Amino acid sequence: MSEAPSAPGAPQPSGSGRRRPPGEQSCYAALDLGTNNCRLLVATPSPRGFRVVEAYSRIVRLGEGLSQTGQLSDEAMDRSMAALKVCAEKIRRRKVVRVKAVATQACRGATNGPDFVRRVAEETGLRLQIITPKEEAQLSVAGCMSLFDRDAEAALVVDVGGGSTELSWVDLKGGGLDSKPRQFAAWKLPIKAWLSIPIGVVTLAERFPEGERVEEGWFRAMVDAVKARIEAFPHAEPMRRLFENGRAHMVGTSGAITSLAGLHLGLPRYDRNIVDGLWMQRHECEAAADRLLTLTARERALEPCIGADRADLVLAGAAILQAVQELWPCSRVRVADRGLREGLLMSLMSDQQQKPRRRRRGGAGRASRPSTVNA
Protein backbone atom coordinates (compact mmCIF):
# COMPACT_ATOMS: atom_id res chain seq x y z
CA MET A 1 0.00 0.00 0.00
CA SER A 2 1.57 3.30 -1.00
CA GLU A 3 2.16 6.17 1.33
CA ALA A 4 0.06 9.23 0.61
CA PRO A 5 1.39 12.53 1.88
CA SER A 6 -1.18 15.30 1.98
CA ALA A 7 -1.66 16.76 -1.47
CA PRO A 8 -1.50 20.50 -2.12
CA GLY A 9 -4.72 22.03 -0.90
CA ALA A 10 -5.43 19.22 1.53
CA PRO A 11 -5.56 19.92 5.27
CA GLN A 12 -1.92 20.18 6.33
CA PRO A 13 -1.61 22.71 9.15
CA SER A 14 1.74 21.30 10.22
CA GLY A 15 3.17 22.41 6.90
CA SER A 16 1.73 25.89 7.01
CA GLY A 17 4.82 27.50 8.53
CA ARG A 18 4.10 26.63 12.16
CA ARG A 19 6.88 24.56 13.69
CA ARG A 20 5.97 21.63 15.89
CA PRO A 21 7.20 22.17 19.47
CA PRO A 22 10.32 20.13 20.40
CA GLY A 23 9.38 16.69 21.68
CA GLU A 24 5.86 16.77 20.23
CA GLN A 25 5.19 13.70 18.10
CA SER A 26 3.93 13.91 14.54
CA CYS A 27 0.30 12.98 13.97
CA TYR A 28 -0.98 10.79 11.15
CA ALA A 29 -4.60 10.50 10.02
CA ALA A 30 -6.58 7.70 8.38
CA LEU A 31 -10.04 8.42 7.00
CA ASP A 32 -12.42 5.76 5.71
CA LEU A 33 -15.55 6.87 3.86
CA GLY A 34 -17.67 3.76 3.49
CA THR A 35 -21.14 3.00 2.26
CA ASN A 36 -22.58 3.49 5.74
CA ASN A 37 -19.97 5.23 7.91
CA CYS A 38 -17.43 8.02 7.82
CA ARG A 39 -14.58 7.22 10.22
CA LEU A 40 -11.40 9.02 11.18
CA LEU A 41 -8.43 8.01 13.33
CA VAL A 42 -5.60 10.37 14.28
CA ALA A 43 -2.57 8.73 15.86
CA THR A 44 1.10 9.13 16.74
CA PRO A 45 3.77 6.45 16.21
CA SER A 46 4.75 4.22 19.13
CA PRO A 47 7.32 1.43 19.48
CA ARG A 48 4.58 -1.21 19.09
CA GLY A 49 2.64 0.55 16.34
CA PHE A 50 0.68 3.72 17.11
CA ARG A 51 -1.25 5.51 19.81
CA VAL A 52 -4.68 6.92 18.94
CA VAL A 53 -5.11 10.55 19.97
CA GLU A 54 -8.52 11.16 18.39
CA ALA A 55 -11.28 9.07 16.85
CA TYR A 56 -14.44 10.11 15.06
CA SER A 57 -17.27 8.12 13.52
CA ARG A 58 -20.58 9.13 12.02
CA ILE A 59 -23.19 7.09 10.17
CA VAL A 60 -23.79 8.93 6.88
CA ARG A 61 -25.39 6.23 4.66
CA LEU A 62 -23.60 7.44 1.56
CA GLY A 63 -24.82 4.38 -0.34
CA GLU A 64 -28.48 4.77 0.56
CA GLY A 65 -30.56 3.95 -2.52
CA LEU A 66 -27.48 3.25 -4.63
CA SER A 67 -28.53 -0.31 -5.39
CA GLN A 68 -31.74 1.02 -7.01
CA THR A 69 -30.44 4.09 -8.84
CA GLY A 70 -26.75 3.46 -9.45
CA GLN A 71 -25.98 6.94 -8.13
CA LEU A 72 -25.18 8.67 -4.86
CA SER A 73 -28.18 10.78 -3.86
CA ASP A 74 -27.90 14.49 -3.09
CA GLU A 75 -29.07 13.91 0.48
CA ALA A 76 -26.51 11.16 1.07
CA MET A 77 -23.69 13.26 -0.38
CA ASP A 78 -24.69 16.24 1.78
CA ARG A 79 -24.68 14.07 4.93
CA SER A 80 -21.27 12.71 4.03
CA MET A 81 -19.90 16.14 3.21
CA ALA A 82 -20.93 17.44 6.63
CA ALA A 83 -19.02 14.59 8.31
CA LEU A 84 -15.99 15.07 6.05
CA LYS A 85 -15.82 18.76 6.95
CA VAL A 86 -15.68 17.77 10.64
CA CYS A 87 -12.85 15.36 9.79
CA ALA A 88 -10.96 18.04 7.86
CA GLU A 89 -11.16 20.41 10.82
CA LYS A 90 -9.91 17.75 13.23
CA ILE A 91 -6.99 17.03 10.89
CA ARG A 92 -6.09 20.72 10.77
CA ARG A 93 -6.38 21.13 14.52
CA ARG A 94 -4.12 18.14 15.18
CA LYS A 95 -1.46 19.43 12.74
CA VAL A 96 -1.43 16.13 10.90
CA VAL A 97 1.68 15.55 8.80
CA ARG A 98 0.31 12.78 6.59
CA VAL A 99 -3.25 11.89 5.65
CA LYS A 100 -4.62 8.84 3.88
CA ALA A 101 -8.28 9.26 2.99
CA VAL A 102 -10.04 6.44 1.14
CA ALA A 103 -13.49 5.70 -0.22
CA THR A 104 -14.83 2.19 -0.74
CA GLN A 105 -17.79 0.42 -2.33
CA ALA A 106 -20.29 3.28 -2.58
CA CYS A 107 -17.90 5.49 -4.53
CA ARG A 108 -16.58 2.49 -6.48
CA GLY A 109 -20.03 1.52 -7.65
CA ALA A 110 -21.75 4.88 -8.19
CA THR A 111 -21.64 6.49 -11.60
CA ASN A 112 -21.22 9.87 -9.90
CA GLY A 113 -18.64 8.59 -7.40
CA PRO A 114 -15.69 10.35 -9.09
CA ASP A 115 -17.68 13.60 -9.24
CA PHE A 116 -18.33 13.39 -5.52
CA VAL A 117 -14.64 12.79 -4.83
CA ARG A 118 -13.81 15.97 -6.77
CA ARG A 119 -16.42 17.89 -4.81
CA VAL A 120 -14.92 16.66 -1.54
CA ALA A 121 -11.50 17.94 -2.61
CA GLU A 122 -12.90 21.34 -3.57
CA GLU A 123 -14.95 21.86 -0.41
CA THR A 124 -12.74 20.25 2.24
CA GLY A 125 -9.24 19.89 0.78
CA LEU A 126 -9.39 16.13 1.47
CA ARG A 127 -8.15 14.01 -1.42
CA LEU A 128 -10.17 10.82 -1.31
CA GLN A 129 -8.74 7.79 -3.09
CA ILE A 130 -11.22 5.18 -4.28
CA ILE A 131 -9.42 1.97 -3.35
CA THR A 132 -9.88 -1.44 -4.93
CA PRO A 133 -11.50 -4.38 -3.12
CA LYS A 134 -8.07 -6.01 -2.95
CA GLU A 135 -6.57 -3.02 -1.13
CA GLU A 136 -9.59 -2.91 1.17
CA ALA A 137 -9.15 -6.59 2.06
CA GLN A 138 -5.40 -6.19 2.69
CA LEU A 139 -5.84 -3.16 4.91
CA SER A 140 -8.63 -4.78 6.93
CA VAL A 141 -6.41 -7.80 7.60
CA ALA A 142 -3.55 -5.48 8.57
CA GLY A 143 -5.73 -3.66 11.06
CA CYS A 144 -6.79 -6.92 12.73
CA MET A 145 -3.37 -8.60 12.96
CA SER A 146 -3.02 -8.18 16.71
CA LEU A 147 -6.23 -10.17 17.22
CA PHE A 148 -5.01 -13.35 15.54
CA ASP A 149 -4.56 -16.40 17.76
CA ARG A 150 -1.06 -17.37 16.72
CA ASP A 151 -1.51 -20.87 18.14
CA ALA A 152 -4.01 -21.45 15.33
CA GLU A 153 -2.88 -22.13 11.76
CA ALA A 154 -5.35 -20.04 9.78
CA ALA A 155 -7.86 -17.24 10.14
CA LEU A 156 -10.72 -15.98 8.02
CA VAL A 157 -11.15 -12.21 8.29
CA VAL A 158 -14.70 -11.13 7.47
CA ASP A 159 -15.05 -7.39 6.87
CA VAL A 160 -18.75 -6.58 6.59
CA GLY A 161 -19.27 -3.15 5.12
CA GLY A 162 -22.30 -1.21 4.03
CA GLY A 163 -21.97 -2.02 0.35
CA SER A 164 -19.59 -4.96 0.17
CA THR A 165 -18.11 -7.77 2.21
CA GLU A 166 -14.47 -8.82 1.99
CA LEU A 167 -13.28 -12.27 3.06
CA SER A 168 -9.56 -12.97 3.48
CA TRP A 169 -8.07 -16.37 4.28
CA VAL A 170 -4.81 -15.85 6.20
CA ASP A 171 -1.99 -18.32 6.81
CA LEU A 172 -1.04 -17.65 10.43
CA LYS A 173 2.17 -19.64 10.05
CA GLY A 174 3.26 -17.63 7.03
CA GLY A 175 5.63 -14.67 6.99
CA GLY A 176 4.66 -11.01 7.13
CA LEU A 177 2.76 -11.01 10.44
CA ASP A 178 5.73 -10.21 12.66
CA SER A 179 7.22 -7.23 10.86
CA LYS A 180 8.38 -4.32 12.96
CA PRO A 181 6.09 -1.28 12.62
CA ARG A 182 8.53 0.62 10.40
CA GLN A 183 8.93 -2.43 8.16
CA PHE A 184 5.25 -3.22 7.72
CA ALA A 185 3.83 -3.58 4.22
CA ALA A 186 0.28 -4.75 3.52
CA TRP A 187 1.28 -6.55 0.34
CA LYS A 188 3.56 -8.85 2.38
CA LEU A 189 0.70 -10.28 4.46
CA PRO A 190 0.20 -14.06 4.06
CA ILE A 191 -3.27 -13.79 2.54
CA LYS A 192 -3.75 -17.03 0.62
CA ALA A 193 -7.09 -16.13 -0.94
CA TRP A 194 -9.55 -13.27 -0.81
CA LEU A 195 -13.05 -12.63 -2.07
CA SER A 196 -15.09 -9.45 -2.36
CA ILE A 197 -18.85 -9.57 -2.91
CA PRO A 198 -21.00 -6.46 -3.57
CA ILE A 199 -23.29 -7.26 -0.64
CA GLY A 200 -23.14 -5.33 2.63
CA VAL A 201 -25.60 -4.43 5.34
CA VAL A 202 -27.11 -1.50 3.40
CA THR A 203 -27.46 -3.29 0.07
CA LEU A 204 -28.77 -6.48 1.69
CA ALA A 205 -31.32 -4.59 3.81
CA GLU A 206 -32.52 -2.71 0.73
CA ARG A 207 -32.83 -5.92 -1.25
CA PHE A 208 -34.85 -7.57 1.53
CA PRO A 209 -37.05 -4.86 3.09
CA GLU A 210 -38.18 -5.62 6.60
CA GLY A 211 -41.89 -6.07 7.15
CA GLU A 212 -43.92 -5.12 10.20
CA ARG A 213 -43.01 -8.44 11.77
CA VAL A 214 -39.63 -10.11 11.48
CA GLU A 215 -40.01 -13.62 10.10
CA GLU A 216 -37.50 -16.44 10.12
CA GLY A 217 -38.08 -17.09 6.41
CA TRP A 218 -37.13 -13.50 5.58
CA PHE A 219 -33.90 -13.81 7.56
CA ARG A 220 -33.16 -17.19 5.97
CA ALA A 221 -33.59 -15.66 2.51
CA MET A 222 -30.89 -13.09 3.34
CA VAL A 223 -28.52 -15.80 4.56
CA ASP A 224 -29.07 -17.86 1.39
CA ALA A 225 -28.55 -14.84 -0.88
CA VAL A 226 -25.14 -14.23 0.69
CA LYS A 227 -24.19 -17.91 0.57
CA ALA A 228 -24.96 -18.00 -3.14
CA ARG A 229 -22.25 -15.38 -3.77
CA ILE A 230 -19.62 -17.15 -1.66
CA GLU A 231 -20.09 -20.92 -2.01
CA ALA A 232 -18.80 -21.18 -5.59
CA PHE A 233 -15.46 -19.56 -4.66
CA PRO A 234 -12.84 -22.34 -5.11
CA HIS A 235 -9.54 -20.64 -4.31
CA ALA A 236 -9.65 -21.01 -0.52
CA GLU A 237 -10.43 -24.74 -0.64
CA PRO A 238 -6.82 -25.80 0.18
CA MET A 239 -7.36 -24.25 3.64
CA ARG A 240 -10.66 -25.97 4.37
CA ARG A 241 -9.00 -28.88 6.14
CA LEU A 242 -7.66 -26.49 8.80
CA PHE A 243 -11.19 -25.28 9.54
CA GLU A 244 -12.61 -28.79 9.63
CA ASN A 245 -9.90 -29.87 12.09
CA GLY A 246 -10.43 -26.96 14.47
CA ARG A 247 -7.12 -25.28 13.63
CA ALA A 248 -8.62 -22.03 12.34
CA HIS A 249 -10.75 -19.20 13.64
CA MET A 250 -12.70 -16.26 12.28
CA VAL A 251 -12.25 -12.52 12.85
CA GLY A 252 -15.34 -10.39 12.29
CA THR A 253 -14.97 -6.66 11.76
CA SER A 254 -17.98 -4.40 11.27
CA GLY A 255 -20.40 -2.25 13.21
CA ALA A 256 -23.04 -4.94 12.84
CA ILE A 257 -20.80 -7.60 14.38
CA THR A 258 -19.69 -5.37 17.26
CA SER A 259 -23.37 -4.56 17.90
CA LEU A 260 -24.12 -8.28 17.97
CA ALA A 261 -21.33 -8.73 20.52
CA GLY A 262 -22.65 -5.90 22.70
CA LEU A 263 -26.09 -7.49 22.63
CA HIS A 264 -24.59 -10.85 23.58
CA LEU A 265 -22.82 -9.29 26.57
CA GLY A 266 -25.90 -7.30 27.64
CA LEU A 267 -23.86 -4.10 27.97
CA PRO A 268 -25.74 -1.07 29.34
CA ARG A 269 -23.79 1.01 26.82
CA TYR A 270 -21.30 0.18 24.12
CA ASP A 271 -17.74 -0.15 25.41
CA ARG A 272 -15.01 -0.69 22.84
CA ASN A 273 -12.55 -1.84 25.49
CA ILE A 274 -14.81 -4.78 26.30
CA VAL A 275 -16.00 -5.63 22.78
CA ASP A 276 -12.77 -5.32 20.78
CA GLY A 277 -10.97 -8.66 20.99
CA LEU A 278 -13.94 -10.55 22.47
CA TRP A 279 -14.08 -14.25 21.64
CA MET A 280 -17.54 -15.56 20.79
CA GLN A 281 -18.48 -19.16 20.20
CA ARG A 282 -20.47 -19.89 17.08
CA HIS A 283 -23.53 -20.90 19.10
CA GLU A 284 -23.34 -17.54 20.92
CA CYS A 285 -23.42 -15.68 17.59
CA GLU A 286 -26.47 -17.69 16.55
CA ALA A 287 -28.17 -17.07 19.91
CA ALA A 288 -27.64 -13.31 19.54
CA ALA A 289 -29.12 -13.42 16.03
CA ASP A 290 -32.09 -15.43 17.31
CA ARG A 291 -32.68 -12.82 19.99
CA LEU A 292 -32.62 -10.06 17.36
CA LEU A 293 -35.32 -11.91 15.45
CA THR A 294 -37.64 -11.62 18.45
CA LEU A 295 -37.30 -7.82 18.56
CA THR A 296 -39.17 -5.24 16.54
CA ALA A 297 -37.26 -2.45 14.80
CA ARG A 298 -38.29 -0.08 17.61
CA GLU A 299 -37.07 -2.53 20.26
CA ARG A 300 -33.76 -2.95 18.45
CA ALA A 301 -33.36 0.82 18.34
CA LEU A 302 -33.68 0.92 22.13
CA GLU A 303 -30.87 -1.60 22.59
CA PRO A 304 -27.88 0.47 23.81
CA CYS A 305 -25.35 -1.34 21.59
CA ILE A 306 -27.51 -1.01 18.47
CA GLY A 307 -29.36 2.30 18.51
CA ALA A 308 -31.62 3.92 15.95
CA ASP A 309 -28.90 4.27 13.30
CA ARG A 310 -28.24 0.52 13.10
CA ALA A 311 -31.68 -0.86 14.01
CA ASP A 312 -32.60 -1.62 10.40
CA LEU A 313 -29.15 -2.95 9.43
CA VAL A 314 -28.00 -5.18 12.27
CA LEU A 315 -30.03 -8.20 11.13
CA ALA A 316 -28.50 -7.95 7.67
CA GLY A 317 -25.08 -8.02 9.34
CA ALA A 318 -26.08 -11.06 11.38
CA ALA A 319 -27.26 -12.77 8.18
CA ILE A 320 -23.92 -12.16 6.45
CA LEU A 321 -22.00 -13.52 9.43
CA GLN A 322 -24.23 -16.59 9.61
CA ALA A 323 -23.81 -17.26 5.88
CA VAL A 324 -20.02 -17.27 6.24
CA GLN A 325 -20.17 -19.45 9.35
CA GLU A 326 -22.32 -22.01 7.57
CA LEU A 327 -19.93 -22.23 4.63
CA TRP A 328 -16.70 -22.05 6.66
CA PRO A 329 -17.60 -23.54 10.06
CA CYS A 330 -15.29 -22.85 12.97
CA SER A 331 -16.09 -22.75 16.65
CA ARG A 332 -14.60 -19.34 17.49
CA VAL A 333 -15.10 -15.80 16.22
CA ARG A 334 -13.01 -12.90 17.45
CA VAL A 335 -14.83 -9.57 17.37
CA ALA A 336 -12.84 -6.64 15.99
CA ASP A 337 -13.67 -3.00 16.57
CA ARG A 338 -10.83 -2.15 14.23
CA GLY A 339 -9.83 -2.79 10.65
CA LEU A 340 -9.34 -0.57 7.62
CA ARG A 341 -8.35 2.65 9.39
CA GLU A 342 -5.79 0.88 11.56
CA GLY A 343 -4.34 -0.75 8.46
CA LEU A 344 -4.11 2.66 6.79
CA LEU A 345 -2.23 4.09 9.76
CA MET A 346 0.23 1.21 9.77
CA SER A 347 0.93 1.76 6.08
CA LEU A 348 1.35 5.50 6.54
CA MET A 349 3.87 5.08 9.34
CA SER A 350 5.89 2.38 7.58
CA ASP A 351 9.05 2.91 5.56
CA GLN A 352 8.03 0.19 3.11
CA GLN A 353 4.77 1.36 1.66
CA GLN A 354 5.50 0.62 -1.98
CA LYS A 355 6.07 -2.82 -3.36
CA PRO A 356 9.38 -2.89 -5.26
CA ARG A 357 9.13 -3.67 -8.92
CA ARG A 358 10.76 -6.89 -10.01
CA ARG A 359 12.45 -7.38 -13.30
CA ARG A 360 11.14 -10.40 -15.10
CA ARG A 361 13.73 -12.81 -16.46
CA GLY A 362 11.88 -15.31 -18.54
CA GLY A 363 9.25 -17.08 -16.46
CA ALA A 364 11.32 -17.48 -13.32
CA GLY A 365 11.34 -15.49 -10.13
CA ARG A 366 7.71 -14.39 -10.10
CA ALA A 367 6.26 -13.90 -6.66
CA SER A 368 3.29 -16.08 -5.81
CA ARG A 369 0.01 -14.23 -5.51
CA PRO A 370 -3.09 -15.06 -3.52
CA SER A 371 -6.05 -16.36 -5.44
CA THR A 372 -8.55 -13.56 -5.81
CA VAL A 373 -11.93 -12.83 -7.24
CA ASN A 374 -14.31 -9.91 -7.29
CA ALA A 375 -17.67 -11.66 -7.20
Side-chain angles (χ1 to χ4, degrees):
M1 189 67 192
S2 61
E3 175 180 293
S6 301
Q12 38 176 277
S14 60
S16 60
R18 296 177 60 186
R19 289 183 176 270
R20 189 173 294 277
E24 182 179 331
Q25 284 190 298
S26 298
C27 286
Y28 296 76
L31 190 154
D32 167 23
L33 179 63
T35 302
N36 197 45
N37 285 71
C38 176
R39 296 180 172 129
L40 172 73
L41 273 186
V42 181
T44 58
S46 72
R48 299 181 61 183
F50 57 82
R51 182 178 67 87
V52 175
V53 296
E54 185 156 357
Y56 171 81
S57 178
R58 181 178 295 179
I59 292 179
V60 296
R61 301 208 178 196
L62 177 61
E64 188 174 54
L66 175 61
S67 58
Q68 283 83 37
T69 67
Q71 290 192 321
L72 306 175
S73 70
D74 291 339
E75 295 82 1
M77 288 189 288
D78 288 344
R79 287 194 301 267
S80 301
M81 189 64 69
L84 289 167
K85 288 178 178 177
V86 173
C87 292
E89 178 55 34
K90 290 180 180 294
I91 289 169
R92 292 188 185 95
R93 181 167 51 81
R94 289 288 183 177
K95 305 177 187 178
V96 169
V97 297
R98 284 196 177 98
V99 180
K100 184 71 175 179
V102 303
T104 55
Q105 182 62 27
C107 287
R108 280 197 297 261
T111 57
N112 58 343
D115 293 334
F116 177 64
V117 168
R118 285 189 287 271
R119 178 187 164 191
V120 170
E122 292 170 359
E123 295 189 23
T124 70
L126 292 167
R127 304 300 178 92
L128 285 173
Q129 176 189 349
I130 301 176
I131 60 174
T132 66
K134 180 179 180 179
E135 290 174 298
E136 188 173 355
Q138 287 178 331
L139 290 167
S140 295
V141 170
C144 294
M145 281 198 307
S146 63
L147 298 182
F148 292 147
D149 177 1
R150 301 301 296 277
D151 289 332
E153 295 187 44
L156 172 54
V157 177
V158 183
D159 180 8
V160 183
S164 68
T165 296
E166 278 68 46
L167 294 88
S168 303
W169 286 262
V170 184
D171 177 8
L172 297 183
K173 301 304 180 184
L177 293 176
D178 297 313
S179 301
K180 295 179 180 179
R182 297 293 292 181
Q183 297 175 333
F184 169 79
W187 54 268
K188 292 182 178 179
L189 293 170
I191 300 173
K192 295 303 181 181
W194 67 273
L195 168 69
S196 178
I197 61 172
I199 298 176
V201 293
V202 174
T203 49
L204 190 62
E206 289 181 347
R207 180 177 169 185
F208 294 90
E210 183 178 342
E212 291 184 10
R213 295 181 59 188
V214 174
E215 297 180 356
E216 188 174 341
W218 165 79
F219 182 77
R220 186 69 236 176
M222 288 198 292
V223 173
D224 290 341
V226 177
K227 288 178 68 174
R229 299 301 295 264
I230 299 173
E231 59 189 350
F233 180 67
H235 302 296
E237 286 302 317
M239 302 188 78
R240 184 171 292 280
R241 177 176 52 85
L242 299 176
F243 286 78
E244 292 174 345
N245 295 338
R247 291 182 286 170
H249 71 87
M250 193 176 296
V251 176
T253 170
S254 81
I257 294 176
T258 56
S259 294
L260 206 65
L263 182 72
H264 160 69
L265 292 171
L267 297 178
R269 62 182 179 83
Y270 184 79
D271 187 336
R272 182 186 185 275
N273 293 325
I274 297 176
V275 171
D276 183 51
L278 173 74
W279 285 103
M280 290 181 67
Q281 299 296 312
R282 180 181 174 184
H283 69 86
E284 292 173 330
C285 297
E286 293 173 347
D290 288 342
R291 182 181 168 193
L292 283 175
L293 288 170
T294 68
L295 303 177
T296 65
R298 182 176 179 278
E299 289 170 335
R300 293 196 299 271
L302 294 175
E303 286 289 335
C305 292
I306 299 176
D309 287 334
R310 294 191 188 279
D312 61 337
L313 303 177
V314 68
L315 273 167
I320 293 171
L321 178 61
Q322 182 165 322
V324 178
Q325 288 179 314
E326 290 182 5
L327 290 172
W328 286 87
C330 54
S331 60
R332 299 183 301 155
V333 179
R334 197 157 203 192
V335 180
D337 189 344
R338 61 179 70 202
L340 182 65
R341 291 175 303 168
E342 287 79 4
L344 284 170
L345 283 173
M346 292 169 66
S347 292
L348 273 177
M349 295 177 185
S350 171
D351 291 327
Q352 300 190 13
Q353 295 86 356
Q354 286 199 333
K355 185 175 182 178
R357 293 185 179 181
R358 294 188 177 187
R359 293 183 180 179
R360 292 187 177 180
R361 296 180 179 179
R366 296 186 184 181
S368 62
R369 295 182 179 181
S371 301
T372 63
V373 69
N374 213 5

